[in-house]
Amino acid sequence: MAKLIAGVGTAHVPAIGAAVDHGKQNEAYWQPFFKGIEPAREWAKKAKPDVCIIIYNDHASAFSLETIATFAIGVAPEFEPADEGYGPRQVPKVKGNSEFAWHIAESLILDEFDMTICNEMSVDHGLTVPLSIMYDQPETWPCEVIPLCVNVIQYPQPTAKRCHDLGKALRRAIDSFDRDISVAVLGTGGMSHQLQGERAGLINKEFDTDFLDKLVSSPEELTKISHTEYLRESGSEGIELIMWLIMRGAMNEAVDEKYRFYHVPVSNTAYGLTILEDQE
Ligand code: DHB
Ligand code: FE
């Protein structure tokens, strides 16, 4: 049977992808960041998940605002990196796993989560930057990927609780897939950031740290935070953090935090990363 081996939370700041693509890792600005993610890359090399389910949001790249899917899943055999206005990133094509993706779609929908099914979609920095964070710049990505897309950019977004519940359903879908594969779930986005307006550059370290702590010990508390509170405390784009709750919902109640890294600034945001494993 499929086995969930870990949950990873990571921000997906596009500047990180640009730093990798343009070889800036050793510049003074980037050095502490890339040193901080090194243990995560070591972890990924050892853990070698066969499939990564990447929870992310499309930033009006594959979907325009003409179609706003609350939750969408990519079932295609491959996904091209999206052109976000400056040409697609020169990274490998993302290989999917149609059989597993259709199983997850069926399981979630019959479990009353009405997913939008994408037979074709491109994937933007929300998905490719986490891959660069975990795997650097390989010739081909060492895992298959199932994109699970969440609307966090256009009101009304799903609630934090709905995201956590979707994670629990996602776990049921993983556990019921009859193939011996190892699976990691990545929740991406965040941490505190606001990209525009008077509060642009907002960083709330206290909120982020509390979020990381509670993600391990008491995720239910994070599901009680309203949209307004996420927006107020973590910035207009900090609401991306609700996607980490899908990852957390897929994990057991008791988890061990294998690694944590928090770093400011990355672009004008706070970067956070956590690796969680179910307790034995
Ligand atoms: C930026 C964009 C994002 O989607 C994000 O999550 C963080 C930062 C940016 O444009 O800097
Ligand atoms: Fe984003």
Side-chain angles (χ1 to χ4, degrees):
M1 300 299 281
K3 183 172 167 32
L4 179 65
I5 58 166
V8 176
T10 172
H12 59 220
V13 189
I16 298 167
V20 172
D21 299 347
H22 299 112
K24 294 185 175 178
Q25 290 98 319
N26 292 321
E27 290 184 3
Y29 178 87
W30 285 107
Q31 233 174 12
F33 170 80
F34 283 99
K35 188 163 180 290
I37 63 166
E38 194 49 46
R41 288 178 169 178
E42 290 301 319
W43 174 86
K45 258 185 219 153
K46 277 207 198 102
K48 284 203 187 79
D50 297 311
V51 179
C52 286
I53 300 171
I54 304 188
I55 323 287
Y56 75 109
N57 64 295
D58 178 75
H59 302 74
S61 309
F63 308 122
S64 70
L65 291 180
E66 284 169 11
T67 304
I68 301 164
T70 302
F71 297 118
I73 183 167
V75 298
E78 61 182 33
F79 307 92
E80 299 274 358
D83 183 346
E84 298 181 52
Y86 37 85
R89 285 188 68 202
Q90 298 300 303
V91 291
K93 270 187 204 168
V94 175
K95 294 264 184 277
N97 181 325
S98 297
E99 188 194 13
F100 190 22
W102 273 107
H103 167 82
I104 293 171
E106 179 185 24
S107 180
L108 291 177
I109 291 168
L110 298 185
D111 216 349
E112 302 182 347
F113 285 86
D114 305 318
M115 309 298 292
T116 297
I117 296 173
C118 302
N119 283 305
E120 196 182 326
M121 70 196 280
S122 58
V123 288
D124 73 8
H125 70 267
L127 184 138
T128 63
V129 167
L131 285 172
S132 299
I133 289 167
M134 298 311 285
Y135 298 115
D136 201 356
Q137 253 185 326
E139 296 245 312
T140 56
W141 298 118
C143 61
E144 293 170 337
V145 173
I146 297 180
L148 199 160
C149 211
V150 182
N151 167 40
V152 292
I153 60 173
Q154 173 64 51
Y155 185 86
Q157 298 92 337
T159 62
K161 179 176 181 300
R162 184 71 175 155
C163 289
H164 194 241
D165 288 345
L166 175 61
K168 291 181 191 177
L170 179 61
R171 177 60 175 269
R172 294 190 282 274
I174 295 167
D175 286 349
S176 60
F177 186 58
D178 187 15
R179 293 272 188 277
D180 291 330
I181 52 170
S182 60
V183 181
V185 177
L186 276 65
T188 81
M191 298 206 79
S192 57
H193 65 298
Q194 170 139 353
L195 300 176
Q196 64 274 307
E198 280 176 23
R199 297 200 310 161
L202 175 140
I203 302 290
N204 187 346
K205 183 175 180 185
E206 207 182 321
F207 181 89
D208 290 340
T209 305
D210 190 58
F211 184 93
L212 287 165
D213 290 344
K214 288 188 174 138
L215 195 70
V216 178
S217 62
S218 44
E220 302 282 347
E221 287 197 34
L222 302 174
T223 69
K224 294 178 194 149
I225 300 176
S226 68
H227 285 148
T228 311
E229 200 175 338
Y230 272 107
L231 293 171
R232 187 173 59 231
E233 297 300 325
S234 62
S236 52
E237 281 75 37
I239 197 172
E240 289 181 344
L241 280 172
I242 63 172
M243 293 186 289
W244 293 40
L245 292 174
I246 299 177
M247 173 277 281
R248 185 62 180 91
M251 309 293 295
N252 284 352
E253 236 170 88
V255 294
D256 290 319
E257 186 176 44
K258 294 291 174 181
Y259 185 62
R260 180 192 293 196
F261 175 54
Y262 184 78
H263 179 74
V264 177
V266 171
S267 176
N268 60 353
T269 82
Y271 178 82
L273 179 138
T274 185
I275 300 177
L276 305 177
E277 290 179 4
D278 283 343
Q279 263 176 26
E280 296 293 317

